[in-house]
Amino acid sequence: MSAEVDLQIEGMTCASCAMRIEKKLNRMPGVQATVNYATEKAHVVLPPGVSVDDAIAVVEATGYGAHAPRAATPDDAGPDGDPEFAALRQRLIVSTVLTIPVVLMAMVPFFQFTYWQWASLALAAPVVVWGAAPFHRAAWINLRHGAATMDTLISLGVLAAFLWSLYALFFGGAGAPGMTMAFQLMPQEAGSQPEIYLEVASAVTVFILTGRYLEARAKVRSGEALRALAAMGAKEVSILRDGVEERLPIEDLAVGDIFVVRPGEKIATDGVVVEGASAVDNSLVTGETVPVEVGVGDAVIGATVNAGGRLLIEARQVGTNTQLARISRMVEAAQSGKAPVQRLADRVSAVFVPIVIVLALATLIGWLLAGAGAQSAFTAAVAVLIIACPCALGLATPTALLVGTGRGAQLGILIKGPQILESTRQVDTIVLDKTGTVTTGHMALVDVVAAPGEDADDVLRLAAGLEHASEHPIARAVVVGARERLGDLPDVESFLSSGGRGVQGVVDGHAVLAGRPTWLASEWSVHEPVDLTIIREIHEAAGRSVVAVAIDGRFAGVVVVADVVKAGSAAAIAAFRDLGLAPVLLTGDNARVARSVAHEVGIDDVMADVLPEDKVEAVRTLQMQGRTVAMVGDGVNDAAALAQADLGMAMGTGTDVAIEAADITLVRGDLIAAADAIRLSRRTLRTIKGNLFWAFAYNVAAIPLAMAGLLNPLLAGAAMAFSSVFVVTNSLRLRRFRGLGTA
């Protein structure tokens, strides 16, 4: 059986490095590997007989390091404690301090004192040798393995400028006293006296180091979602054992333990309330801004905050099985993968560097054959090497993906893989399961209508007192609604149930009946007034359930319950339409109920009376009509349809089967999150395409300018570094995405 493993890759400096490692791993028999430059991770599927050590050995033979990644922890607060990042920052600072006077002396004649060029050499040499050492080292490693990467271009460009300057100083007359230079936007032949390019060699090194430094900072910032998830969980828990509370590390909590959560404390793990009632702030995990009321029997999520009273909770999931842990794994998996659009960038990066080296040589030879001086030919060739580094191309997709999926996790939107982004662009129809998706999925009290001369609160109080002894879903809805409206309820005596037709008992000394109007009429000769009959029929026409109530032999009123529409469903339907999606309601309920719900939320297209096994066929029928279908559901009976749809979205409040079958999980459980998921996915995809356009357009436009001798190598280095920084900062804009359903 195949095994999947993630490896942390060390030593990658560009997207070409990632491509080389990926190719080497995929050449192993039966191995499937994806290497992500932005996350510095390789996701490897290993067939039987191939071990993790074998994969690590291949990576190391390619010239890089690999090891099992360490899980994100709250201590991963940033890059400051990373020795590699500290070394990069030190290299950048020292190189910058040494380079500034070199650039000033080369560009401003005022600073060109006698023998200034030799002072420039003394300052530039450490920058070229030590400051650019990471590029030279990577280029040498790749050369030994018969490969070329972006570091090869940088190293060649820097060394070429430096070696030309050494030649000019020692053999070309540029070292003579009184030698002067002036900065020009475009390189020009300098006559009989060669110019030196020490400022190019050192400034390009600083520009590239600056770009790498900002990239490293951006990677840390874009990975904040995972660190935030890791920091959410409680560190300690008060476990109740033999009636005594023990404050223990969270690692000591086991399934079945009862633990105490006081107001203001985090809930230690996923569980069920066994004592107490409170409001729980789920915003950290689900994105919901309004605290949710919980009581005995209600499920709670680890890392959420108890905002009200004291709770006793039985642990149901611990460690890596909690919802928070599953969210972290899904986010990591999405960030480590590749969107289909990334494949184009990978293919370009794989052949780009060798092509650029050929173009640089062609530029050098072409200028020489055209009769230009060696200095002009050399300058143009160096500019080609420097301007062509496709770092921005390698960063375009993974940085946007990293930030977009991380932001989604913060909003309670879990995107399973980067390929899902492509699906959201094509979707034009969204199929919505009714129960649990558009509606709450459970009965709730809607209305109480009293007969003439009766008090509605008295009718509800006595009916709920009677129904309290019943386990029927309608009875529970009446009881819950009455408690919310009236508080404590009276007890019932002599309770009897009549086979689903109704119930009877004595409440507060009154003989109370509750059930179908036909049962009251046939069995007890209690007849419904005409005006209440009209009201009942209106409610039933809307798909609601009506309970008739008789008190002491008289018809007292009706209690109305229904599976109510979720608060944000109507707004979500409007948002779908704004996104160009046609909503379709799909349900196994009868057409009358379905059309009532559809009318309430603004859906025109309804598919009712659909059996669970026929939901797949319903989705397939829409697809055969040429539609690209998204499906939102929450139940086991939705799983197959979610898998059949072009884009499946599961409510996080639904079943595990549905969540596994879906492409996107909506942790919040409200429909507006589905609109947010599509908006975020499309925004991320637009960002990726914008990044790729910039990277491609930049190289396509700049390389011909450099080959034509119209680009100074100094400006080429600055432009190349700027392009990478632009792509990263453009991706970071996704962190400001705001969901429609969040504050």
Side-chain angles (χ1 to χ4, degrees), residues 76 117 137 141 146 193 202 239 257 278 288 301 370 380 402 460 529 551 559 567 592 632 634 653 668 690 722 742:
D76 297 335
Q117 63 272 46
R137 189 182 307 115
I141 292 172
Q193 178 177 275
S202 54
I239 302 176
D257 282 344
S278 180
E288 288 178 291
I301 303 171
L402 199 67
L460 177 60
I551 301 174
V559 177
R592 184 181 63 184
V632 187
D634 73 327
T653 52
R668 292 208 304 266
F722 172 75
T742 56

Side-chain angles (χ1 to χ4, degrees), residues 298-470:
D298 290 331
V300 291
I301 303 171
T304 55
V305 179
N306 178 15
R310 180 176 181 269
L311 294 174
L312 291 185
I313 299 171
E314 179 184 346
R316 292 290 176 89
Q317 303 285 351
V318 297
T320 57
N321 295 322
T322 64
Q323 184 165 334
L324 186 63
R326 291 198 299 270
I327 290 173
S328 294
R329 286 197 297 273
M330 290 179 71
V331 173
E332 275 200 283
Q335 291 181 343
S336 298
K338 290 187 180 181
V341 72
Q342 171 73 9
R343 301 294 174 184
L344 174 61
D346 286 346
R347 288 196 296 270
V348 171
S349 295
V351 299
F352 197 81
V353 174
I355 289 175
V356 168
I357 293 175
V358 171
L359 289 176
L361 289 173
T363 301
L364 178 65
I365 295 170
W367 276 78
L368 291 174
L369 291 177
Q375 180 167 297
S376 293
F378 173 80
T379 303
V382 170
V384 170
L385 287 172
I386 294 172
I387 197 68
C389 294
C391 296
L393 195 61
L395 290 167
T397 297
T399 52
L401 191 62
L402 199 67
V403 181
T405 52
R407 180 58 183 148
Q410 292 174 331
L411 294 173
I413 300 166
L414 305 182
I415 302 171
K416 273 193 178 177
Q419 69 279 2
I420 306 307
L421 301 177
E422 299 281 359
S423 303
T424 62
R425 178 183 57 172
Q426 306 293 340
V427 167
D428 54 26
T429 302
I430 185 161
V431 175
L432 308 170
D433 173 57
K434 181 184 76 69
T435 306
T437 301
V438 177
T439 65
T440 60
H442 54 81
M443 292 289 189
L445 180 66
V446 175
D447 196 10
V448 180
V449 182
E454 302 287 344
D455 180 74
D457 284 349
D458 284 341
V459 172
L460 177 60
R461 185 175 65 86
L462 294 175
L466 173 64
E467 297 281 21
H468 189 266
S470 173

Side-chain angles (χ1 to χ4, degrees), residues 40 48 97 238-239 256 279 376 403 407 431 494 503 561 601 610 703 714:
E40 298 178 337
V97 170
S238 296
I239 302 176
S376 293
V403 181
R407 180 58 183 148
V431 175
S494 305
V503 293
V561 298
V601 298
V610 178
I703 290 176
L714 187 67

Side-chain angles (χ1 to χ4, degrees), residues 621-663:
T621 299
L622 291 170
Q623 291 171 326
M624 291 174 64
Q625 295 172 4
R627 302 197 197 185
T628 304
V629 180
M631 166 83 181
V632 187
D634 73 327
V636 173
N637 59 349
D638 298 321
L642 289 170
Q644 172 65 35
D646 299 284
L647 176 68
M649 290 185 279
M651 293 293 186
T653 52
T655 65
D656 290 342
V657 176
I659 291 171
E660 285 298 320
D663 301 309

Side-chain angles (χ1 to χ4, degrees), residues 531-558:
D531 51 349
L532 285 186
T533 300
I534 296 172
I535 292 173
R536 174 176 57 80
E537 290 175 348
I538 291 173
H539 281 297
E540 289 178 342
R544 303 183 181 108
S545 298
V546 180
V547 179
V549 181
I551 301 174
D552 294 332
R554 66 184 185 278
F555 199 101
V558 294

